[in-house]
Amino acid sequence: MGTRHHRGLRRRSGHLYLAPRGELESTTQADLVAFATRACADPRTVLAALRAARPDATPGSLRSAVLGQVLFEAGTTRMARAHARISGGRTRLYSFGYRSTALDGRLGAAHTVELPFVFDVADEPRLHGDADLLGPAPAPARPAARVHGAWVAFARTGNPGWAPFDPRRPTAKILGEEDPG
């Protein structure tokens, strides 16, 4: 039978570590370069690619992107590729894009924001407030139902409703954004 593997990425994973401390706004270009130099084997290439993909991004947003790549994306992608090679099509990868309205929207699609959607508790009052995980805005019902449903389907059948991850064409299912259906 083999094992099933379901891995996720968040669009702004690094925001969880920078936004609450005000570092999204206070990061300078020098801070960004210093961080990338410490965190990346090839900081110039990483920063050039990020700047090309996000030409209007602030140094803080780019620092968040580097942090997310180093802490989460690189390892998640390596794990998905390795598992896909041995699992016979049982690996699924998703990218969660719902943007929390916490901290005046600065938290965004940070690491862990998807968990209330996964466990179908996104409407819990304790998760909503200016500095709470999901922020003051109510969580949208449709993406919450779709994310929870995908996880339940994966647990039951191994198929969350999208194609297996293919290392030759590495893509992830987008979940939680302004989800039209």
Side-chain angles (χ1 to χ4, degrees), residues 18 22-32 58-61 63:
L18 302 177
E23 293 182 21
L24 281 175
E25 298 81 13
S26 67
T27 294
T28 65
Q29 183 64 28
D31 296 333
L32 169 62
T58 65
S61 289
R63 181 177 175 192

Side-chain angles (χ1 to χ4, degrees), residues 11-177:
R11 290 289 175 90
R12 287 168 177 75
S13 294
H15 278 41
L16 181 65
Y17 304 97
L18 302 177
R21 299 167 34 156
E23 293 182 21
L24 281 175
E25 298 81 13
S26 67
T27 294
T28 65
Q29 183 64 28
D31 296 333
L32 169 62
V33 170
F35 178 73
T37 300
R38 287 190 311 272
C40 304
D42 186 357
R44 285 191 181 124
T45 300
V46 169
L47 290 177
L50 287 171
R51 285 187 183 112
R54 304 171 187 188
D56 297 327
T58 65
S61 289
L62 293 174
R63 181 177 175 192
S64 172
V66 171
L67 185 59
Q69 282 184 1
V70 170
L71 290 178
F72 305 106
E73 189 175 332
T76 294
T77 302
R78 276 194 309 272
M79 176 70 81
R81 285 178 187 278
H83 192 270
R85 283 194 295 272
I86 63 169
S87 71
R90 295 176 178 269
T91 303
R92 302 300 200 281
L93 189 65
Y94 69 90
S95 177
F96 189 76
Y98 173 74
R99 295 173 144 211
S100 167
T101 58
L103 305 173
D104 294 321
R106 293 186 321 273
L107 189 59
H111 186 63
T112 73
V113 168
E114 84 277 14
L115 294 179
F117 293 83
V118 168
F119 294 105
D120 198 22
V121 295
D123 58 349
E124 289 285 326
R126 69 178 181 258
L127 297 171
H128 294 277
D130 292 335
D132 295 320
L133 184 62
L134 297 180
R142 190 170 187 181
R146 291 189 68 185
V147 170
H148 178 68
W151 276 75
V152 169
F154 183 76
R156 284 188 181 144
T157 69
N159 184 352
W162 61 85
F165 176 78
D166 182 348
R168 295 166 297 174
R169 291 182 306 270
T171 59
K173 171 72 173 168
I174 306 293
L175 296 173
E177 287 188 338

